[in-house]
Amino acid sequence: MLWLSEATSPIVLIMKISQEMEAKFNDQITLEFEASLVYRQLAVEAERMDLVGMAAWFRHQADEEIVHANKFIDHVDARDGHVQIGSLSAPAQFADPSALDLFEAAFKHEQKVSEAIQNLYRAADEAGDFDSRPILNWFTSEQIEEESTVDEIIGRIRLVGDDGSGLLRMDSELGQRPAETTEA
């Protein structure tokens, strides 16, 4: 808050988030942390399959999900809200997955996150919470990119099928993702 003088009221420079929207953002924050766990588990599974490039790609994605959670945390905090991280669900376990299974699981989770962000956007509009639009616009664009990227990888895995050399080439390519591509 900014005080003009002792005799005046404070000028509030932030638009305080409503309790309803705070709760919805907290749910999204929890989902972003859950997404990180999903990607960590997928990295573990890829590593077990000796697909070290894919494992590295999944680890980068896991790190990026933490960045996403932090963006939402910063938004709630900047609007004088109280962040409460909820309970995290354990990621799905795999008995004997294929690379395709791993990326299909990633795609399914990205769709879940996209739907949650769309629902958050709808709730913000219904509540007249226009201050949330910039961050939600950013995340809407981000989710389009996330789903498109994973969908392309799935398509390429389907193209190579059971060709081990093709899968190893993809593994090598995915492992080339530089660490700095994870958003700051």
Side-chain angles (χ1 to χ4, degrees), residues 122-181:
R122 286 183 199 99
D125 275 357
E126 287 173 15
D129 183 1
F130 302 114
D131 297 320
S132 291
R133 279 190 178 171
I135 193 168
L136 294 173
N137 286 337
W138 186 89
F139 273 101
T140 300
S141 295
E142 175 69 8
Q143 283 308 117
I144 291 169
E145 179 185 321
E146 296 287 338
E147 284 189 33
S148 176
T149 298
V150 177
D151 189 48
E152 179 183 314
I153 294 168
I154 289 170
R156 293 178 68 208
I157 291 172
R158 286 184 176 141
L159 280 174
V160 299
D162 293 331
D163 177 33
S165 61
L167 190 60
L168 289 174
R169 181 173 179 185
M170 281 190 64
D171 181 62
S172 177
E173 288 175 15
L174 290 172
Q176 299 302 313
R177 176 182 179 179
E180 61 269 9
T181 63

Side-chain angles (χ1 to χ4, degrees), residues 57-108:
W57 190 91
F58 284 129
R59 282 192 303 274
H60 287 302
Q61 284 299 116
D63 293 344
E64 191 171 289
E65 298 302 334
I66 297 293
V67 172
H68 292 172
N70 287 334
K71 283 179 184 270
F72 281 120
I73 289 170
D74 291 345
H75 175 77
V76 172
D77 186 54
R79 296 187 58 206
D80 201 30
H82 181 214
V83 174
Q84 297 260 109
I85 300 167
S87 298
L88 300 175
S89 300
Q93 301 296 307
F94 295 90
D96 188 24
S98 66
L100 181 60
D101 292 333
L102 299 181
F103 281 95
E104 285 178 339
F107 187 71
K108 183 178 178 183

